[in-house]
Amino acid sequence: MATNTESTAATARPELSDYLSDDLVIHGLLVFSIVLMGLPLILAVVMSTQTPSEVYEVTNVGIGSQGLANYQTALGEYNLGQYMWNSFVMASIIVVGKVALSLLAALALVYYRFPYERAVFMFILLTLLLPVPVRIVPLFQLMADLGWANSMLSITGPYIASATAVFLFRQHFMSIPASLVDNARLDGVGPFTFLVKVLIPMSKGMIAGVSVITFIYAWNQYLWPLVVISAQEKQVVQVGIRYLQGASQSGLTQWGLIMAGAVLALIPPLLVLVVLHRPLLKTFAIQQK
Amino acid sequence: MSHIQLDDLRKRFGDVEAVRGIDLEIEKGEFLVLVGPSGCGKSTTLRMLAGLEDISEGELRIADERVNGVAPKNRNVAMVFQNYALYPHMTAAENMKFGMKSAGDYGDDEIERRLDRAADILDIPELMERKPGELSGGERQRVAIGRALVREPEVFLLDEPLSNLDAKLRVQMRAELLKLHQELQTTTVYVTHDQTEAMTLGDRVAVLDAGQLQQVAEPQELYDFPANRFVAEFIGNPAMNLVPVDVVEDGGEVRAEHEGFSVGLPDQAGLDDAVGQSAHFGIRPEDVSLAGNLPADAPTHEITVSVTEPLGESLLMHCDVGGDEIQVKAEPRAEIRPGDDIEVGFDEERLHLFDQSGDAVYHSTSATPKTSEAPLTE
Amino acid sequence: MTEFTKPFDSSWQAYLLLVPTFAVLIAFLYYPAVETFRLSLYQTLLLGTQKAFVGLENFKILATSPEYQRSFVISFAFAAFVVVGTLVVSLFVSYLLFEVSRGTSSYLVAAIWPYALPTAVAATVLMFLMHPTLGVITHYLEALTGIELDWFTSGPLAFVVVGLVAIWKQLGYNIIFLVAALNNIPETLTESAKLDGVGRLKMLYKVYVPLISPTMVFLVVMDTIYAFFQTFPMVDLMTSGGPSGATNLLIYKLYRDAFEFNSLGKASAESIILFVIVAILMYVQLRVSESYTHYGA
Ligand SMILES: Nc1ncnc2c1ncn2[C@@H]1O[C@H](COP(=O)(O)OP(=O)(O)OP(=O)(O)O)[C@@H](O)[C@H]1O
Ligand SMILES: [Mg+2]
C-alpha cells in the first residue's frame, strides 16, 4: 500500500530516487532500532551460556562453554522450575477467574435492567484508583488474618476482579447489534443460554485479548508476592530471580546462571505475546476509546 | 373479527412521543404495510407489536387477547430485521434452530421437520451448513426469513427486510415475499420507508407521519384519494404537484385560480365550503399532458420548462407556472428544451384540492373511495 | 453504541451475577483502601503491635522529613525522565513502523515484545550488562566515549540507569498504542501534505503528532502511573534506593517503611499520597479524553 501511493506520488515529480533511498534509510533505521531494543536480550542469552570466569572476561561476547547447563542448574538446584510452576498456576488462576467474573458482571451490566446500574458501574470503575501500593499494608494484614499468607490464595484472590476487564467486556457486548439481542428476546432465550451460546462465542477475540493482558500482568507481579510470600518454595519466578542473585562460585557472582534465570522468566509471557498478539492489539484498540 | 387491534397506541421515550395514538385493525391473513418517512415511528410501532418495546398507553390485542405486557416469546410472533440479525458464529441451520431449541418445547424430530420445510420453501437447503459470513446479503435475508418461518408464528413482523439489498435483488425478493405470503396466508405487518415497496406488497397500506396514522387504504385508493397533503406527496414518484390557488365560483362553475392558470373543477359535493377560500391544488405529474395529445377543445395552460430529466421511459420536466414549480411527465422523446414555453392540459378526472390544514376536500374522480377510513388529524 | 431494550429484568439475578466481582472488590480493594485511610491517622509502635491515634501527624512528619521530600522530588523527576524518554523513543520507532508498513505488521511483533518483558527480568539483564566492572555495555561505552558508567557509586548515574531500564520495558506498550493511533489517521488527511512534498520529519511533528495527541496524553498518564507504581522491582534489584538515596522512589520507600521498619501508620500515609497522585492523573486523563471525544468514533 505505502509503496504504491508513494511511487505514484513520486512519479508525478522528479524525485523518485529520493524517495527510494529515503525508503531504504527508513528500513535501515527501523532494523537498527529493533536490534538495539533486542540487543540486551540477545546478550543475555549469549551470556547465559558462559561460566563465571568467562563472564569476567568482559570482552568475551561469544557463546560460552556451559551450553544449557546454567539453565539446568537454575531450574533444578535453584528451584526456578518450582517458581515458574508457581507463577504459571498463579497466572492461570487469575486469567480464568478474572475472565469468568468479568463476563458475569458485564452480562449483568449490559443485559439486565436493575436499579442503580450507573452507580454499580462507577463502583467498579473507581477501583482503577486503587493499585496495590495504595492498600498494601491493610491488605497484608488481611491476608494474615485470613490465614492466607504464603498461599496461592493470597497472590490470586486480590487480582481476580478487575475494572478493566469488566469495562472491556461491557464495551464489546454493547457493540453487538441490538437486533441480535431483540431476536434472543423474541425466542425467549434465557440469560445462561445467551451467555454460553451467544455472548461467549461472539467474544472469543476479546476473551483472548483480556487473557493475554492478564497473563502478562500476572506473570510480572513482584512487589505483592515479595511481601506476602515468605516461604521460598511458594514463591513466584520474578522474585525467584532475586534469590539467584546471591549465587556465587568461589567468590564470583554467577551471572551466567542469573541470565539463564532471567531468560527463563521471560519465555512464557513472550510466547503468549507472540502467539496471541492479534487479539491483544484489537483489545487495546478498544480499551483506548 | 380482526386479528390484531391497536387501540390508541402510544409510545413515549422520555419527553419524545414517538407514537401518538394509533388506531388500527389488521385482518387475519392480511399483508399490511406500514410506511412513512424516517423517524416517523414505524419501527417503534412494530416493536410494540412484537413486545420488544413497552407500550406507554393504549391497548394492543392479538387474536382478541390483550397482550400489553405479555413477553415477546409468548405472543407467537416472529420478526425479521433489516440487518438480518443472524448469529455470526452459527451456521444457517443452527441459526434457524436456535430459538426453538432454547424454547425447549419442541422435540428434535419436530425441529428437523420444520427446518427442512422452511429450507424447501425458501429454496435454500444447500446453504444450511454455511455461516452468515459465507452468505450473500440476499441469502442471509432468506435465512433470516427462514428463522421466522420455522417458528410457524401467527404473525410475521418485518422491519425493512429488504433495505440492505441492492435494487435488483430487492425487486426479486419482493416478489418472493408476495409468493410466500400467498402460500402461507400468515398475518403480516411489514415496515418500509419505500413507497414503491409499500404499494406493491400491501393488501393495505398504512401511512404514518410524526407518530400519527395519516391514512389506511388499499394501494390504488391511497394513490387516487390521498386523505391529506402528506399522503398525496408521500405516495407516488415523482410527488404530486401542489400549488396554492383561490377557489372561486364563476357563473355556476367552481374554478381553481392561480397566477398561471385557471382550472374548472367538475362539480362535486363538498366544494361549496371551499368556495371563496384559498387552498392547495394538486395534480400528479403523470396527469398533466402536452396539448398535442389532448382533444382540440380541451383547456390548456402555458408553462415554461426550466429543467428536463430524461428518465428513459418518460421525460420529466420541471416547469414554471405563475411563479410556482410543477413537474410534468411527457413521452420520452418529446423535443422539448429548457426555456421552451409549452401548452399543457390537466386530466379533469385527476384533480385534487386540499384545505389550509392540509386535509383533502375534493377529488375530481367520479368514482368514490371504497373504504373510507377516517384520517386522524385532530 | 447501539441502544437496545435490555432482555432481562430480574434485578436479583443481576445482583447475583455481580456478587463475585463485588465480593472481591470490596474485600480486597475497597476495604483495604479505607483501612489505609484509617491507619494513616495512627502511629504504630512496638513493631506494629500497638497503635495510637495521632491525627494528621504522619502527614506532617512526611511533609517535614527531608528524606521523604527528596524521595518525592526524585520520583517526579524519575517519572518525567521515563515519560519523555519512552515517548520520544517509541514515537520514533512507531513512526518508522508506520512509514514502512502501513497496514502490515511484519515488524510489529519485533517492536512491541518488551510489553511482555517482566520488570524484574529487565532490571536483572540490564543490571548485568551495565555492571560497572563486568558490563559489556559499560565496557564499550567507555571505550567509545570515555564515559565511566560507575553507577554503583554515582547517584545521578544510578538514576539514569534505572530510568533506562524503565524506558526499555515500557517501549512495547507505547509502540502498540502509537502505531494504532497513526494507522487510525485517515489517509486523506495526510495525502495532500505528502503531495506537497512536505518532508518526513516535518510531517511527523506538524501533521501526525497533533492528530495523535489524545493518544499521547493517554500514554503520558499511563507512563507516569507506571513510573510511580511499577518500578519497584528495578530499585529493589538494582540499587536498593541508593546510592545515598538517589533512586529512593516513593514506592520503594513505602515498601521499606511498611515491611522493614514496620511504621505501618507512616507507610499508610505514604499510600494515601500515592493515591492522590493516581487520582489526579486519572482525572487529567478523563478530562482530556472528554475534550478530545470529537476525534474518536
Ligand atoms: N430507544 C429510544 N429512545 C429514545 N428515542 C427513540 C428510541 N427509539 C426510537 N426513538 C425515537 O422515536 C422516533 C421514531 O423512531 P422509529 O425507530 O420508530 O422510526 P422509524 O419510522 O422506524 O424510522 P426509520 O425509517 O429511520 O427506521 C424517532 O424520533 C426516534 O429518534
Ligand atoms: Mg425503523
Side-chain angles (χ1 to χ4, degrees):
Chain A
M1 280 300 265
T3 41
N4 248 337
T5 47
E6 266 162 30
S7 52
T8 26
T11 37
R13 296 171 306 114
E15 290 167 55
L16 180 64
S17 57
D18 281 12
Y19 256 89
L20 277 183
S21 63
D22 226 34
D23 252 18
L24 274 185
V25 170
I26 295 222
H27 275 273
L29 281 174
L30 187 56
V31 171
F32 176 75
S33 326
I34 285 174
V35 168
L36 206 61
M37 263 163 71
L39 191 63
L41 205 60
I42 298 163
L43 287 172
V45 172
V46 171
M47 299 301 198
S48 70
T49 61
Q50 296 187 348
T51 62
S53 52
E54 283 166 344
V55 167
Y56 276 67
E57 282 172 57
V58 176
T59 49
N60 177 357
V61 288
I63 301 285
S65 57
Q66 286 287 76
L68 295 180
N70 280 330
Y71 288 87
Q72 242 166 3
T73 317
L75 284 171
E77 216 170 297
Y78 286 89
N79 256 337
L80 219 64
Q82 176 69 42
Y83 304 149
M84 286 187 68
W85 174 249
N86 294 341
S87 279
F88 183 77
V89 172
M90 167 188 72
S92 305
I93 292 177
I94 295 177
V95 166
V96 173
K98 190 184 272 193
V99 167
L101 261 58
S102 305
L103 279 172
L104 295 182
L107 172 68
L109 285 171
V110 178
Y111 295 108
Y112 274 87
R113 261 176 290 185
F114 60 93
Y116 306 116
E117 252 176 74
R118 258 213 91 69
V120 164
F121 185 52
M122 282 319 291
F123 184 83
I124 294 173
L125 270 197
L126 275 179
T127 58
L128 285 175
L129 298 177
L130 304 174
V132 171
V134 164
R135 54 198 154 90
I136 191 162
V137 171
L139 193 59
F140 176 70
Q141 288 174 337
L142 179 65
M143 291 303 145
D145 293 345
L146 290 172
W148 285 11
N150 272 322
S151 73
M152 191 50 82
L153 285 173
S154 66
I155 47 175
T156 54
Y159 290 102
I160 61 170
S162 131
T164 319
V166 172
F167 177 79
L168 285 171
F169 286 132
R170 177 178 169 271
Q171 292 298 98
H172 180 68
F173 288 174
M174 290 190 342
S175 72
I176 292 177
S179 54
L180 284 184
V181 181
D182 287 339
N183 229 323
R185 286 181 72 204
L186 287 169
D187 289 339
V189 177
F192 183 73
T193 315
F194 190 60
L195 177 68
V196 174
K197 292 279 175 64
V198 178
L199 289 181
I200 291 180
M202 288 186 71
S203 314
K204 278 187 199 139
M206 179 60 74
I207 291 173
V210 169
S211 301
V212 181
I213 295 173
T214 306
F215 185 89
I216 289 174
Y217 169 80
W219 188 271
N220 190 23
Q221 285 310 312
Y222 181 94
L223 173 58
W224 180 240
L226 176 70
V227 166
V228 80
I229 303 282
S230 54
Q232 277 213 8
E233 76 280 3
K234 302 267 179 68
Q235 197 46 276
V236 300
V237 70
Q238 300 308 321
V239 183
I241 301 179
R242 195 186 200 230
Y243 300 152
L244 286 182
Q245 284 197 355
S248 65
Q249 197 181 46
S250 50
L252 301 182
T253 307
Q254 297 233 38
W255 281 108
L257 181 74
I258 299 173
M259 286 305 108
V263 171
L264 284 170
L266 164 65
I267 288 174
L270 194 59
L271 267 183
V272 167
L273 176 82
V274 170
V275 174
L276 292 172
H277 69 275
R278 267 170 230 282
L280 173 83
L281 295 177
K282 280 208 187 108
T283 304
F284 270 138
I286 289 171
Q287 182 184 19
Q288 219 230 312
K289 283 180 187 161
Chain B
M1 133 194 29
S2 50
H3 191 186
I4 307 175
Q5 268 176 291
L6 290 72
D7 189 4
D8 197 23
L9 214 59
R10 289 170 190 274
K11 177 68 191 180
R12 271 182 293 274
F13 295 107
D15 293 337
V16 185
E17 195 167 19
V19 176
R20 310 180 177 192
I22 291 195
D23 288 300
L24 183 61
E25 301 202 350
I26 302 164
E27 302 301 323
K28 191 156 185 75
E30 180 172 11
F31 197 121
L32 182 103
V33 177
L34 261 181
V35 69
S38 185
C40 70
K42 308 178 293 286
S43 297
T44 307
T45 307
L46 196 73
R47 292 167 59 81
M48 285 194 284
L49 295 188
L52 293 172
E53 213 72 79
D54 291 336
I55 293 167
S56 303
E57 233 177 90
E59 201 176 66
L60 173 66
R61 297 168 159 274
I62 298 181
D64 271 327
E65 222 176 298
R66 184 186 150 97
V67 293
N68 298 40
V70 172
K73 62 165 171 161
N74 298 329
R75 293 191 184 191
N76 207 1
V77 300
M79 188 153 165
V80 177
F81 298 85
Q82 174 176 351
N83 62 359
Y84 324 123
L86 297 174
Y87 299 112
H89 58 286
M90 298 184 193
T91 63
E94 285 165 346
N95 261 294
M96 286 165 67
K97 287 190 283 195
F98 183 63
M100 274 192 294
K101 280 210 165 150
S102 25
D105 303 339
Y106 307 93
D108 284 351
D109 292 344
E110 174 70 4
I111 293 179
E112 288 305 324
R113 190 188 64 74
R114 289 189 180 197
L115 187 67
D116 290 343
R117 191 170 113 87
D120 279 341
I121 293 178
L122 293 165
D123 198 20
I124 50 172
E126 71 286 358
L127 304 180
M128 297 311 281
E129 294 315 313
R130 294 211 214 149
K131 291 191 176 170
E134 303 155 355
L135 298 171
S136 72
E139 291 167 340
R140 271 181 232 180
Q141 197 51 283
R142 254 175 249 250
V143 174
I145 293 168
R147 182 172 53 190
L149 283 185
V150 292
R151 306 194 54 202
E152 299 183 357
E154 274 195 59
V155 180
F156 275 131
L157 304 172
L158 300 97
D159 193 351
E160 312 212 14
L162 307 185
S163 316
N164 280 10
L165 306 180
D166 65 48
K168 206 167 159 192
L169 198 55
R170 206 159 16 192
V171 174
Q172 183 192 337
M173 288 291 288
R174 214 156 71 192
E176 287 187 30
L177 278 176
L178 266 180
K179 211 177 85 201
L180 194 66
H181 181 250
Q182 273 157 17
E183 218 169 304
L184 301 176
Q185 291 295 323
T186 309
T187 310
T188 302
V189 184
Y190 184 106
V191 161
T192 177
H193 63 262
D194 176 348
Q195 55 98 17
T196 318
E197 217 168 277
M199 300 289 279
T200 47
L201 280 172
D203 291 331
R204 282 191 307 155
V205 176
V207 183
L208 211 58
D209 182 41
Q212 288 180 320
L213 212 48
Q214 305 298 317
Q215 189 172 8
V216 186
E218 287 170 17
Q220 193 60 48
E221 187 186 333
L222 218 49
Y223 181 85
D224 289 340
F225 303 98
N228 56 37
R229 282 183 60 180
F230 178 81
V231 178
E233 287 185 292
F234 190 77
I235 300 291
N237 186 21
M240 181 186 286
N241 298 302
L242 285 169
V243 293
V245 293
D246 291 317
V247 183
V248 296
E249 188 160 359
D250 178 12
E253 190 192 25
V254 180
R255 302 188 67 82
E257 298 278 2
H258 182 262
E259 291 277 309
F261 63 85
S262 168
V263 188
L265 303 172
D267 193 14
Q268 199 173 355
L271 264 182
D272 298 347
D273 286 350
V275 173
Q277 312 274 329
S278 48
H280 276 88
F281 171 78
I283 179 112
R284 295 194 182 275
E286 49 273 38
D287 297 332
V288 183
S289 318
L290 298 178
N293 301 336
L294 294 170
D297 60 339
T300 61
H301 320 281
E302 191 181 80
I303 61 177
T304 311
V305 179
S306 45
V307 178
T308 57
E309 285 178 38
L311 299 179
E313 96 287 354
S314 63
L315 178 72
L316 182 67
M317 301 178 288
H318 299 254
C319 309
D320 181 89
V321 54
D324 284 307
E325 192 195 279
I326 65 167
Q327 298 182 13
V328 174
K329 255 188 178 176
E331 45 271 32
R333 279 160 284 273
E335 289 285 324
I336 298 171
R337 308 256 170 281
D340 289 355
D341 289 332
I342 55 173
E343 289 284 325
V344 297
F346 298 152
D347 185 341
E348 287 199 341
E349 298 268 283
R350 292 279 176 267
L351 308 178
H352 312 268
L353 271 190
F354 301 91
D355 67 14
Q356 285 308 315
S357 61
D359 290 337
V361 289
Y362 168 79
H363 303 290
S364 65
T365 311
S366 43
T368 44
K370 269 177 280 176
T371 48
S372 205
E373 218 144 334
L376 259 170
T377 37
E378 60 262 39
Chain C
M1 218 96 298
T2 33
E3 281 284 334
F4 49 78
T5 318
K6 304 187 168 197
F8 312 120
D9 53 8
S10 148
S11 305
W12 68 264
Q13 268 182 23
Y15 289 127
L16 200 65
L17 291 169
L18 287 161
V19 160
T21 295
F22 264 52
V24 173
L25 293 183
I26 291 173
F28 301 131
L29 284 100
Y30 278 108
Y31 163 73
V34 171
E35 268 297 289
T36 307
F37 267 97
R38 205 176 62 84
L39 270 180
S40 72
L41 305 177
Y42 285 81
Q43 187 182 12
T44 38
L45 308 161
L46 298 172
L47 298 174
T49 51
Q50 284 186 11
K51 50 190 183 179
F53 184 80
V54 292
L56 296 176
E57 192 59 27
N58 285 322
F59 292 95
K60 267 186 223 150
I61 293 173
L62 288 175
T64 53
S65 146
E67 196 198 348
Y68 191 77
Q69 287 171 358
R70 177 131 190 263
S71 185
F72 196 82
V73 172
I74 283 174
S75 294
F76 276 90
F78 186 77
F81 180 68
V82 171
V83 169
V84 172
T86 308
L87 274 177
V88 167
V89 177
S90 45
L91 188 61
F92 177 73
V93 176
S94 305
Y95 186 52
L96 294 176
L97 279 168
F98 168 69
E99 282 287 288
V100 298
S101 59
R102 258 203 124 131
T104 76
S105 67
S106 35
Y107 286 106
L108 197 58
V109 178
I112 65 171
W113 69 268
Y115 174 67
L117 179 63
T119 326
V121 172
T124 308
V125 167
L126 281 190
M127 178 181 182
F128 169 53
L129 296 176
M130 297 173 94
H131 193 284
T133 52
L134 298 175
V136 186
I137 296 178
T138 322
H139 178 83
Y140 286 105
L141 188 72
E142 195 179 334
L144 291 174
T145 65
I147 298 173
E148 277 186 55
L149 203 54
D150 192 9
W151 55 279
F152 281 11
T153 53
S154 154
L157 279 180
F159 180 94
V160 171
V161 167
V162 176
L164 289 177
V165 178
I167 292 172
W168 183 39
K169 190 251 168 308
Q170 192 65 354
L171 289 177
Y173 184 80
N174 281 251
I175 292 172
I176 289 175
F177 282 97
L178 289 174
V179 169
L182 286 169
N183 280 324
N184 267 342
I185 299 175
E187 233 169 308
T188 45
L189 272 183
T190 57
E191 260 168 1
S192 59
K194 264 190 188 161
L195 288 172
D196 291 344
V198 179
R200 283 203 152 107
L201 209 59
K202 205 167 170 199
M203 282 290 284
L204 177 61
Y205 66 86
K206 284 273 190 211
V207 181
Y208 293 123
V209 169
L211 283 171
I212 60 169
S213 52
T215 301
M216 306 264 296
V217 173
F218 167 79
L219 288 173
V220 167
V221 171
M222 297 318 278
D223 291 349
T224 309
I225 291 177
Y226 160 81
F228 273 97
F229 288 90
Q230 306 292 317
T231 45
F232 174 80
M234 301 166 194
V235 179
D236 188 45
L237 289 167
M238 298 175 75
T239 65
S240 301
S244 56
T247 54
N248 194 14
L249 301 180
L250 288 174
I251 180 82
Y252 189 70
K253 180 160 169 38
L254 160 63
Y255 167 77
R256 291 189 64 192
D257 282 338
F259 300 104
E260 277 181 28
F261 307 131
N262 274 305
S263 312
L264 300 186
K266 189 168 142 199
S268 298
E270 292 175 42
S271 287
I272 296 303
I273 293 169
L274 283 178
F275 167 75
V276 172
I277 294 171
V278 194
I280 293 172
L281 285 169
M282 287 292 190
Y283 181 74
V284 169
Q285 159 66 13
L286 198 71
R287 291 311 298 265
V288 172
S289 68
E290 264 173 10
S291 66
Y292 274 118
T293 34
H294 61 276
Y295 272 95

